[in-house]
Amino acid sequence: RPTAAATGAEIESTVATLAVAEALLDSGRSIDLAGLDAAARNLCAAVLALDPAEARPMRGGLEELAWRVDRLRATLAPAWP
C-alpha cells in the first residue's frame, strides 16, 4: 500500500516533470511523453488506495497536475493533424 508521503512526492515530481516539458515546448524543443499515461494511472491508483483523510490534502497537487496536462494538450493540439 502506498504511503501518503510517497504519493505526495510522486505528485510533486510529476508536476515538475510537466513544467519542464512545457518549458521545452515553449523553447521549440520536442518532448517525449512516453510513460505519462502509466504514471497518471499509477498516481490515481495510489491516491485511491489512501485513506480519504490522507488523500484530501493532495487535492491541490492533483489539480495542478491536471492543469499542466491540459496546458500541454493545448500546446500540442495545433501540431496534430
Side-chain angles (χ1 to χ4, degrees):
R1 174 182 141 125
T3 66
T7 302
E10 189 60 31
I11 290 170
E12 289 177 15
S13 174
T14 305
V15 165
T17 298
L18 292 176
V20 169
E22 185 177 357
L24 289 171
L25 282 175
D26 288 346
S27 70
R29 300 190 51 198
S30 62
I31 60 170
D32 181 1
L33 296 175
L36 183 59
D37 287 343
R41 271 192 307 275
N42 291 340
L43 270 178
C44 289
V47 171
L48 289 171
L50 294 173
D51 181 86
E54 292 177 307
R56 199 167 291 114
M58 295 177 196
R59 181 176 178 172
L62 291 170
E63 287 173 346
E64 183 177 359
L65 185 59
W67 178 79
R68 290 206 175 270
V69 168
D70 286 345
R71 284 179 53 97
L72 274 178
R73 184 179 346 177
T75 301
L76 292 170
W80 291 344

